[in-house]
Amino acid sequence: MAKRIALVEDEPILQQNYSLALKKSGYEVMIYGDKASALNAFKHQLPDLVLLDVGLVDEPEAGFEICRELRNKSTQLPIIFLTALDSDFDIISGLRLGADDYLTKDISIPHLLARISALFRRMELLINTPEQEEALQVGDLTIDNERLTVKWTGILVDLTVTEFWIVCALAQKPGHVKSRDQLMQAVKAVVDDSTITSHIKRIRQKFQLVDKSFDHIDTVYGMGYRWNLRA
């Protein structure tokens, strides 16, 4: 069955261009031109992936609001921002709301399709991992590979798909430094350094919501990140 992609975009020319490219790649595409129509559709059924612009019609932050609503419905739904806004503030805002990727509209169609394909591969790998242990315990951290969940001191930490993979990659070898390139390989995505950095910040924040004293992800400047087991 073809994967269903929701394209939330208000410019007709871009709707046509992206939709055509996605359909040629074998995806089923649903197009929504404003926040209200998108949210109404998502009430009834979620797609397999969402491509989301930030500004829609006369609502400059409609995409951020849609992302927030979608994350409340599902922590695992792949969400990609595809927008003309390219400031660090906008990128960080999108990732903090739980998006898995943030792309600007100057990205080539082949590159966009590669990022979408990478997210779908990652979902499939998460689902089809019978060789993995059902649960990994690292100190107070519990990773449940079957349910795709992470707990800290027994309390669920609400991670996105991308964040789950990053935590898995770091925690599997505590004390070992993972470079940004290695983390990109672990999450099966092609993202830039600033995107990985933003994900790490968001992960820390989510753990600190559970435990204010959480400090088990170290930044090793010039090298990457590591999971530490300090008491």
Side-chain angles (χ1 to χ4, degrees):
M1 181 180 293
K3 297 288 189 183
R4 300 169 64 249
I5 294 179
L7 173 62
V8 187
E9 167 62 59
D10 62 348
E11 295 186 32
I13 293 177
L14 293 179
Q15 288 177 351
Q16 182 178 3
N17 290 345
Y18 292 138
S19 177
L20 181 61
L22 292 167
K23 288 177 179 177
K24 282 185 176 180
S25 294
Y27 299 115
E28 180 182 343
V29 183
M30 298 159 294
I31 299 174
Y32 307 104
D34 56 61
K35 183 179 74 174
S37 62
L39 289 178
N40 184 59
F42 298 149
K43 285 180 182 178
H44 304 289
Q45 185 178 13
L46 292 178
D48 295 305
L49 182 144
V50 178
L51 282 175
L52 185 58
D53 197 357
V54 175
L56 297 169
V57 194
D58 58 352
E59 298 183 84
E61 296 190 354
F64 290 151
E65 295 168 16
I66 294 171
C67 183
R68 185 183 295 109
E69 290 292 324
L70 288 172
R71 272 293 164 252
N72 288 335
K73 293 178 180 294
S74 171
T75 60
Q76 297 175 19
L77 172 67
I79 301 173
I80 299 177
F81 274 108
L82 182 59
T83 177
L85 302 178
D86 60 358
S87 72
D88 288 342
F89 176 80
D90 290 313
I91 294 170
I92 292 170
S93 295
L95 296 175
R96 282 180 174 174
L97 288 170
D100 293 288
D101 210 343
Y102 191 107
L103 309 175
T104 53
K105 288 180 178 177
D106 57 357
I107 190 172
S108 69
I109 292 294
H111 196 173
L112 170 62
L113 294 172
R115 302 284 269 263
I116 292 171
S117 179
L119 266 178
F120 279 136
R121 285 201 308 272
R122 202 164 74 214
M123 288 299 299
E124 291 169 2
L125 286 170
L126 279 171
I127 294 169
N128 302 307
T129 53
E131 74 282 358
Q132 289 187 330
E133 294 181 6
E134 186 171 313
L136 172 66
Q137 189 73 39
V138 181
D140 290 326
L141 178 72
T142 304
I143 299 175
D144 189 325
N145 291 303
E146 183 175 356
R147 295 178 177 83
L148 312 183
T149 58
V150 166
K151 291 183 178 180
W152 179 254
T153 63
I155 302 172
L156 185 67
V157 182
D158 191 14
L159 300 179
T160 66
V161 175
T162 298
E163 293 162 354
F164 179 88
W165 273 100
I166 290 174
V167 170
C168 285
L170 291 173
Q172 283 173 356
K173 291 188 176 181
H176 290 237
V177 177
K178 289 280 188 179
S179 68
R180 290 180 175 85
D181 285 341
Q182 288 173 317
L183 290 177
M184 281 189 274
Q185 293 171 15
V187 301
K188 311 296 186 296
V190 182
V191 296
D192 55 30
D193 286 356
S194 63
T195 303
I196 290 290
T197 300
S198 296
H199 280 306
I200 291 289
K201 289 179 180 178
R202 182 61 175 161
I203 290 168
R204 286 180 175 135
Q205 290 172 348
K206 289 186 174 183
F207 274 92
Q208 287 165 357
L209 287 175
V210 172
D211 177 2
K212 291 183 180 179
S213 65
F214 177 86
D215 65 346
H216 291 263
I217 299 177
D218 292 335
T219 299
V220 183
Y221 292 98
M223 297 178 66
Y225 304 92
R226 68 183 169 207
W227 189 276
N228 68 68
L229 291 175
R230 65 172 61 95

